[in-house]
Amino acid sequence: KIDTSTLEGLISNSNRVLQEAVRGIEPPPRNLFKECHGIILMSSIEAGFIFSANIGSGILMSHDPSSGIWSRPVAMGLTGIGFGALAGGESKDIVIFIMEEQMMENISAKAHFKLGLQVSGAVGPVGSEMDLSLQASEKGYGPVAAFTYTRGFFGGVSLEGAVISSKMNINKKFYGNVDTAEQILFTSQGFSRSLTELDRLYERLRLLRGL
């Protein structure tokens, strides 16, 4: 079992999320890996009837479309209560591509933002592309491309109002003397750790980008 209370565990789970997403029935288009300015790889559990509760964890990484370089990962968590016609519980993987540089900068500076997302029902391991509004800051909303891959049954799901925020306690345990998500995403000072799962994630993203 993967320990998602550590960044090592979140990185390992993100490898699984990405691997299953690209092997799914409806994988994300490869051009998104090349053109995006950031990616969120996350797993969540949602259960309830009419009112639904969400809890999840994952990582955020920034991406330079020009060079193809991916940043160090930041541990993130998801919490929230949505309103939806949910029938039973479900576990889902979420892949979110952040498509604008300014939006990525807003997210990294604030490290706390809201989702607005609704999708129709599905049964089994189905991937669905969705429109999603992601509020990065008081400046407003920015465009993203989002995909979910579900394990279990649900009859409609809502992430409206769910909040994604950085887990700095986990980040500090891994990186040491860091205070913000920006430091992790846009600098590499004092970071010399080598981690097999992280190297594997970089390699998978590089291949998906087409380098």
Side-chain angles (χ1 to χ4, degrees), residues 53-119:
N54 300 279
I55 184 168
S57 57
I59 63 171
L60 164 69
M61 299 173 71
S62 66
H63 174 243
D64 182 351
S66 298
S67 66
I69 295 175
W70 294 88
S71 74
R72 300 181 290 175
V74 173
M76 307 294 287
L78 180 146
T79 57
I81 297 177
F83 181 88
L86 214 71
E90 54 120 357
S91 174
K92 62 181 175 290
D93 297 328
I94 305 170
V95 181
I96 301 174
F97 295 90
I98 301 160
M99 302 309 297
E100 286 190 351
E101 183 177 9
Q102 184 60 55
M103 184 177 180
M104 185 64 214
E105 291 176 359
N106 291 344
I107 290 172
S108 63
K110 194 174 182 64
H112 181 95
F113 48 93
K114 292 182 180 180
L115 295 171
L117 171 64
Q118 291 184 332
V119 297

Side-chain angles (χ1 to χ4, degrees), residues 15-174:
N15 263 313
R16 181 197 59 76
V17 170
L18 191 57
Q19 180 175 327
E20 293 188 6
V22 298
R23 291 180 178 177
I25 296 173
E26 298 178 28
R30 294 294 181 93
N31 68 296
L32 293 177
F33 292 96
K34 187 175 182 178
E35 298 170 6
C36 73
H37 288 270
I39 192 170
I40 296 171
L41 301 167
M42 182 167 286
S43 294
S44 72
I45 297 174
E46 183 167 17
F49 183 77
I50 300 179
F51 290 100
S52 56
N54 300 279
I55 184 168
S57 57
I59 63 171
L60 164 69
M61 299 173 71
S62 66
H63 174 243
D64 182 351
S66 298
S67 66
I69 295 175
W70 294 88
S71 74
R72 300 181 290 175
V74 173
M76 307 294 287
L78 180 146
T79 57
I81 297 177
F83 181 88
L86 214 71
E90 54 120 357
S91 174
K92 62 181 175 290
D93 297 328
I94 305 170
V95 181
I96 301 174
F97 295 90
I98 301 160
M99 302 309 297
E100 286 190 351
E101 183 177 9
Q102 184 60 55
M103 184 177 180
M104 185 64 214
E105 291 176 359
N106 291 344
I107 290 172
S108 63
K110 194 174 182 64
H112 181 95
F113 48 93
K114 292 182 180 180
L115 295 171
L117 171 64
Q118 291 184 332
V119 297
S120 59
V123 178
V126 178
S128 301
E129 182 174 1
M130 294 161 287
D131 294 325
L132 179 147
S133 297
L134 190 151
Q135 184 174 346
S137 70
E138 291 83 355
K139 295 181 180 180
Y141 292 84
V144 302
F147 299 78
T148 63
Y149 297 86
T150 304
R151 302 184 298 276
F153 170 82
F154 68 106
V157 59
S158 173
L159 287 176
E160 186 74 36
V163 175
I164 294 180
S165 57
S166 62
K167 291 188 170 184
M168 288 310 297
N169 59 326
I170 293 178
N171 291 318
K172 287 184 177 182
K173 285 181 181 179
F174 186 82

